[in-house]
């Protein structure tokens, strides 16, 4: 799975908001806190606002805040808001993929990949990451020494 800069920046900004205890935070402050390019972040924040994850207020006292508590926003929700479906095959959902011959069972592999992405990304919330109190599935997978080995 490739995590786009868009999803990474969105998550980092939302985690900063989650740690702000619900107050309004200016876009400049979010960008500086995570060393993000402000113009790109502003575009991402617009998408997050349209997706109902953040709300904004203009003016000197304005800024951004989460629309709901951080324990109700999963990592999967943020990725879907910025990048679309968690897993796709040539831009289509895995269940729409159709293969013949030796590749006949490849669709089952893509479905399994998606369900495992969901299992992790839907179980982790902004509150979990901000607090460092990650779900057991994440801790368990992270303890596997093979998880830290890069393969090409």
């Amino acid at each position: 799975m490739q995590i786009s800069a868009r999803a990474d920046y969105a998550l980092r900004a939302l985690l900063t908001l989650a740690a702000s205890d619900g107050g309004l935070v200016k876009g400049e402050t979010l960008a500086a806190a995570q060393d993000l390019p402000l113009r790109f972040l502003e575009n991402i924040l617009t998408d997050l606002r349209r997706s109902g994850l953040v709300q904004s207020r203009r003016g000197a006292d304005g800024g951004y805040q989460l629309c709901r508590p951080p324990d109700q926003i999963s990592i999967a929700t943020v990725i879907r808001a910025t990048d679309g479906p968690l897993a796709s095959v040539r831009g289509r959902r895995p269940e729409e993929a159709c293969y013949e011959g030796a590749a006949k069972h490849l669709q089952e592999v893509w479905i399994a990949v998606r369900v495992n992405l969901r299992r992790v990304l839907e179980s982790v919330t902004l509150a979990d990451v901000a607090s460092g109190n990650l779900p057991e599935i994440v801790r368990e997978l992270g303890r596997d020494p093979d998880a830290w080995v890069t393969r090409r």
Side-chain angles (χ1 to χ4, degrees), residues 94-113:
E95 63 272 15
E96 295 172 357
C98 186
Y99 301 98
E100 303 291 327
K104 180 178 177 181
H105 298 285
L106 191 54
Q107 179 191 45
E108 295 171 57
V109 174
W110 302 147
I111 297 289
V113 167

Side-chain angles (χ1 to χ4, degrees), residues 69-141:
D71 65 348
Q72 294 178 17
I73 301 173
S74 72
I75 301 299
T77 299
V78 178
I79 292 172
R80 286 182 184 115
T82 58
D83 293 349
L86 295 178
S88 63
V89 180
R90 299 181 321 272
R92 299 173 63 187
R93 299 186 183 284
E95 63 272 15
E96 295 172 357
C98 186
Y99 301 98
E100 303 291 327
K104 180 178 177 181
H105 298 285
L106 191 54
Q107 179 191 45
E108 295 171 57
V109 174
W110 302 147
I111 297 289
V113 167
R114 181 178 63 186
V115 77
N116 277 296
L117 286 172
R118 284 178 177 169
R119 186 171 291 147
V120 172
L121 298 175
E122 290 178 352
S123 72
V124 182
T125 67
L126 295 178
D128 296 332
V129 177
S131 71
N133 187 21
L134 299 173
E136 179 57 31
I137 187 170
V138 174
R139 292 195 314 267
E140 179 184 327
L141 291 168

Side-chain angles (χ1 to χ4, degrees), residues 57-72:
R57 185 169 38 195
R58 294 181 180 206
D61 296 330
Y64 295 90
Q65 65 186 157
L66 298 176
C67 283
R68 52 186 188 238
D71 65 348
Q72 294 178 17

Side-chain angles (χ1 to χ4, degrees), residues 6 9-11 13-14 17 25-28 30 36-58 63-65 67 78 80-83:
R6 193 169 187 73
Y9 291 1
L11 285 162
L14 292 176
L17 289 175
V25 180
K26 295 202 173 293
E28 296 86 0
L30 293 172
L36 304 175
L38 178 58
R39 292 185 67 88
F40 189 33
L41 179 59
E42 287 173 339
N43 289 330
I44 294 167
L45 288 166
T46 298
D47 289 343
L48 295 174
R49 189 174 43 79
R50 286 184 188 131
S51 296
L53 294 174
V54 299
Q55 57 189 2
S56 63
R57 185 169 38 195
R58 294 181 180 206
Y64 295 90
Q65 65 186 157
C67 283
V78 178
R80 286 182 184 115
T82 58
D83 293 349

